[in-house]
Amino acid sequence: MSRRGDWVYENNGGTCVAIAGADYCVVAADTRLSVGYSILTRDHSKICELADKCVLASSGFQGDIKALHKNLSARELLYQHQHNKRMSCPAMAQLLSNTLYYKRFFPYYAFNVLGGLDSEGKGCVFTYDAVGSYERTGFSAQGTGSTLIMPVLDNQLKSPSPLLLPARDAVTPLSESEAVDLVKDVFASATERDIYTGDKLEIVVINKAGTKREYIDLRKD
Amino acid sequence: MFRNQYDTDVTTWSPAGRLFQVEYAMEAVKQGSACVGLRSRTHAVLAAANKAASELSSHQRKVFRVADHAGVALAGLTADGRVLSRFLRSECINHAFVYDAPLPVSRLALRLADKAQVCTQRSWKRPYGVGLLVAGLDESGAHLYYNCPSGNYFEYQAFAIGSRSQAAKTFLERKFKGYDDYTPEQLIRDALSAIKETLQGEKLTSSNCTLAIVGRKDDGTVEPFEMIDAKRIQEIIDSMEAAEETPVAAAEPSSTQEEDKGTDAAPMDI
């Protein structure tokens, strides 16, 4: 494979998924770190808890992802000092978008999914491209396995067109445990065909009681 | 007067080898309302007496969280203090960003002192008119530092600054030798008693004092720097008074305290 001398990125693979519910949000990512056809580690978290109701999962180039997460954590701390409260998920969503676009001409090689609860306590998911274009949705997948997972989520979770009346919520009517089961299923499927996804699945569930973390084994091949 | 000849510029020495502008800045600290800090081996407590500019207004914030492991209490020009707190916060955030570890309290005090010193050696600047008690917890235990406008800083077991702080210092001098082994509750009690000394007769309530604590419990868990809420302060004050079993002094209107300070105290001097 011919490489430009100035190519400073590499793709460390992995997949991230988030699903928003009426009063919860599930954010999940696998824990495999790879480069090329090799595995660097089976046990690396792609998920960062930025605030008590706001969790970021990113896949792509780990160097940029680490820097991005550190940057956002520091900004959240500053926000806490200035406003005497933690950042809300929609506020963090805008901050992440601005942070990414700030490096429009030398981007963070990070594909992000932000999940959490909004100020009303409803689940929200924000999905991004590498330069900060974002949208609030009911569910999203990013990373190497996203093309395998997204169609399945569309099939299971997509609500009818917003043009139809009566207006329906974008967030899924599924219960928390049903959503977690769906996440486990889609990751098991993605692991089968995407070589960069596997090893372990880290699931973070945010609801008004707080944040819960769970680990599920995936295929290690 | 003699000394007025050499006090125009901070960069002018007097023949006796003094910088009068710096000394005048330290006077500003003495005009502010009292702050008290004390520490044991594992915990540090900051307390401040709240003064409102008038009965209609809210009181000035004098205690600021700088990081999870450190905070400051200030006396003097609170506007200067607010700016310095912002500086300390960003220093702590930047250090944690680069080294993934909390900024040790001695280094925090040093950064503050260096920043203060710069203002004593530039003709276009003036010294900060605020004294800060920096309290924090790091690997070597709990610490308390006092930073003055001159750029000097000292570590203390217990200290008080601001107006009528001598009364608090006298109280602390009697008891500080045992502080290393004090429990956090004992430290809080002594901090409140010290603040009470500075109020000189006025009744101590949760509305005229602020209290904050940081420390590490015996089992190793860290209690991050946080203000103690008014309800809990009132409970502690009530239990202190019950323990003393002495009649509580009648409350005086706070307006008399303002007149005591001198009629030419500028509005910014709280």
Side-chain angles (χ1 to χ4, degrees), chain A residues 66-67 69-72 74-75 77-78 80-82 84, chain B residues 61 65-68 86 89-90 93 96-100:
Chain A
K66 259 275 157 330
H69 288 187
K70 277 176 90 166
N71 209 324
L72 292 174
R75 293 294 300 272
L77 188 52
L78 206 54
Q80 261 190 68
H81 282 148
Q82 288 173 347
N84 228 2
Chain B
R61 274 192 66 189
R65 180 171 67 119
V66 152
D68 268 345
R86 199 179 305 143
R89 284 169 176 170
S90 79
I93 289 175
F97 189 94
V98 174
Y99 298 104
D100 205 16

Side-chain angles (χ1 to χ4, degrees), chain A residues 84-110:
Chain A
N84 228 2
K85 63 171 184 158
R86 305 214 67 178
M87 258 180 114
S88 68
C89 200
M92 183 55 82
Q94 185 66 55
L95 178 63
L96 174 53
S97 171
N98 293 348
T99 307
L100 293 171
Y101 196 81
Y102 197 71
K103 278 171 60 69
R104 169 69 177 81
F105 301 110
F106 183 9
Y108 286 106
Y109 192 152

